[in-house]
Amino acid sequence: MKLLLTLGALAGAAAATHELMALAYNPKQLASGACPTVDTVRDDLAVLAKYTNEVRIYSVKDCNQGEPVLRAMEGTDWKIQLGLWVNKNDDVYEKDNAELIRLAGVFDFKKHVTAVIVGNEAIYRAEQTSAQIAAKVRSTRAALAQHGLGSIPVTTSETWPSYDQTLIDAVDFVNMHAFPFWEGISIDSAQSKVFEHVYDLQRAAGNKTVAIGETGWPDAGGNYDAAAPSAKNEQRYMKEFVCRANLEKLRYVWFSAFDEAWKPTTNASSVEAHWGILRGDKSPKFPSPMYDCKGFVPSSSRNAKDDSSSED
C-alpha cells in the first residue's frame, strides 16, 4: 500500500507541474550515437526541463551512461528511472547490476531515483523467461536493500502480453509497454486500445500498481497496417493518452524525448528514428503547450473495467 501511495503521489505531482510525467531518454549523442558526457547530458536536460522533471534510461553500464546522467542531476530536482539492460547473455545484466550498486555508493539515490527497471522487453524478444526476469528483479532488490535502498521500487518493463503471474508476483509495480501503432491500430481507435490493455493488466495485477513504461506515436516513416505516422497523429495520441492518464492517475513514461538519427531504419515501417517530442536538432515538434485537456472526454468509460471484473 505504501508503494501504491508513493507512485500515485509522484504521478499527481508531475501531472500538475509539467506537460509530461516522464520521458524515455537515451543520453547517447543524437546524430552519432557517441557516448554521453556530463556536459552533453546537462545540455539535454536543460532542453527537456520545459516538459518534464523525470527521465527513464535503459542501462547504467552501456557507455557508462549512468554516471554522467546522475552527475548532471546533482544539485537539481531531476528524477530518474534507472534501467539495467538484460539480454540472453546474463553477464550483461550482472555488469549493469554491479554498476548500479557502485553508483548507489556515489550518488543520492533516495533523492533522484524513483525506480530501478531490470530489463526492457527481454521476454518479448525471447531472450529471457518470466522466471529468469523475476529472479533478476529479486536479486537487484536484495542488493539495493543491503545498501539501505530497499524503499526504491524495482520492476521490469515489458509489453503488455508478456506479463504472467510469475512476473507480476516479482515486481513492485507492473510496468507495461503499450503501442497501438505497433498493433496496426488507426489513430481513431488508439486511445481505447491502450486503455483496454491497461485495464486487462490491472485486473491481473490485483492490488499492485500498473504503470505505462513506454507509449507514444511516431511522426514519420511508413504506415503499419492501419497505423499512420504523422505529426498530427503523434500530437493527437499524446493529447488523448495524457489527458486520460491524468484523469485516471496513471503513471507513465512517454516515448520518447528526442528523435535519434543513429537508430536503424530497417524495421517494418522505418519509424525508429521518429518518436521524439523534439527533433534531432533539439527543436520542438509542437508548440507549447503540446496538448490541452480542457473539455476532454475519454472515448470509453473506466467503468468498462469495473463492470467486466464483476461478472460471474
Side-chain angles (χ1 to χ4, degrees), residues 95-205:
K95 288 178 178 178
D96 252 85
N97 195 53
E99 177 67 359
L100 176 78
I101 300 308
R102 185 190 74 80
L103 293 170
V106 177
F107 298 99
D108 188 350
F109 272 29
K110 290 183 179 179
K111 178 179 180 181
H112 294 291
V113 179
T114 58
V116 172
I117 302 174
V118 181
N120 183 73
E121 297 188 356
I123 298 171
Y124 170 75
R125 295 191 304 273
E127 295 174 344
Q128 296 274 305
T129 66
S130 61
Q132 288 173 314
I133 292 293
K136 289 175 173 61
V137 166
R138 294 187 180 103
S139 178
T140 294
R141 182 188 295 116
L144 287 170
Q146 289 177 355
H147 289 77
L149 297 170
S151 62
I152 295 176
V154 181
T155 188
T156 188
S157 206
E158 274 294 339
T159 58
W160 57 270
S162 299
Y163 270 94
D164 60 12
Q165 201 59 49
T166 296
L167 202 57
I168 290 170
D169 289 345
V171 298
D172 288 326
F173 66 96
V174 174
N175 202 40
M176 61 173 274
H177 293 181
F179 288 94
F181 180 87
W182 286 124
E183 295 181 70
I185 303 296
S186 75
I187 190 63
D188 293 333
S189 302
Q191 178 197 160
S192 295
K193 180 58 68 174
V194 69
F195 280 89
E196 174 187 320
H197 300 324
V198 170
Y199 299 158
D200 284 345
L201 264 184
Q202 285 176 335
R203 283 189 287 270

Side-chain angles (χ1 to χ4, degrees), residues 26-260:
N26 192 323
K28 292 180 181 179
Q29 296 181 47
L30 294 174
S32 65
C35 293
T37 68
V38 177
D39 286 339
T40 63
V41 174
R42 283 180 177 146
D43 288 345
D44 287 346
L45 296 183
V47 174
L48 297 178
K50 179 177 180 179
Y51 305 99
T52 191
N53 72 336
E54 183 171 352
V55 293
R56 173 191 170 187
I57 66 171
Y58 292 80
S59 171
V60 293
K61 184 62 176 173
D62 178 34
C63 269
N64 291 318
Q65 63 185 261
E67 179 145 0
V69 174
L70 286 163
R71 186 73 66 193
M73 290 182 175
E74 286 185 312
T76 75
D77 292 326
W78 273 97
K79 308 297 181 185
I80 188 167
Q81 300 176 33
L82 292 175
L84 308 185
W85 193 253
V86 177
N87 60 22
K88 61 184 178 181
N89 179 1
D90 282 350
D91 188 54
V92 171
Y93 159 73
E94 295 295 345
K95 288 178 178 178
D96 252 85
N97 195 53
E99 177 67 359
L100 176 78
I101 300 308
R102 185 190 74 80
L103 293 170
V106 177
F107 298 99
D108 188 350
F109 272 29
K110 290 183 179 179
K111 178 179 180 181
H112 294 291
V113 179
T114 58
V116 172
I117 302 174
V118 181
N120 183 73
E121 297 188 356
I123 298 171
Y124 170 75
R125 295 191 304 273
E127 295 174 344
Q128 296 274 305
T129 66
S130 61
Q132 288 173 314
I133 292 293
K136 289 175 173 61
V137 166
R138 294 187 180 103
S139 178
T140 294
R141 182 188 295 116
L144 287 170
Q146 289 177 355
H147 289 77
L149 297 170
S151 62
I152 295 176
V154 181
T155 188
T156 188
S157 206
E158 274 294 339
T159 58
W160 57 270
S162 299
Y163 270 94
D164 60 12
Q165 201 59 49
T166 296
L167 202 57
I168 290 170
D169 289 345
V171 298
D172 288 326
F173 66 96
V174 174
N175 202 40
M176 61 173 274
H177 293 181
F179 288 94
F181 180 87
W182 286 124
E183 295 181 70
I185 303 296
S186 75
I187 190 63
D188 293 333
S189 302
Q191 178 197 160
S192 295
K193 180 58 68 174
V194 69
F195 280 89
E196 174 187 320
H197 300 324
V198 170
Y199 299 158
D200 284 345
L201 264 184
Q202 285 176 335
R203 283 189 287 270
N207 291 328
K208 287 194 175 179
T209 295
V210 172
I212 297 286
E214 284 183 359
T215 196
W217 197 278
D219 75 320
N223 290 5
Y224 192 75
D225 293 336
S230 70
K232 180 179 179 180
N233 285 349
E234 182 178 1
Q235 192 170 25
R236 176 179 172 183
Y237 182 69
M238 179 189 297
K239 171 188 172 72
E240 293 182 354
F241 172 80
V242 172
C243 292
R244 188 162 173 176
N246 289 346
L247 283 174
E248 301 200 6
K249 297 180 172 58
L250 176 70
R251 184 162 170 75
Y252 68 86
V253 176
W254 185 262
F255 187 88
S256 63
F258 299 105
D259 284 352
E260 294 161 322

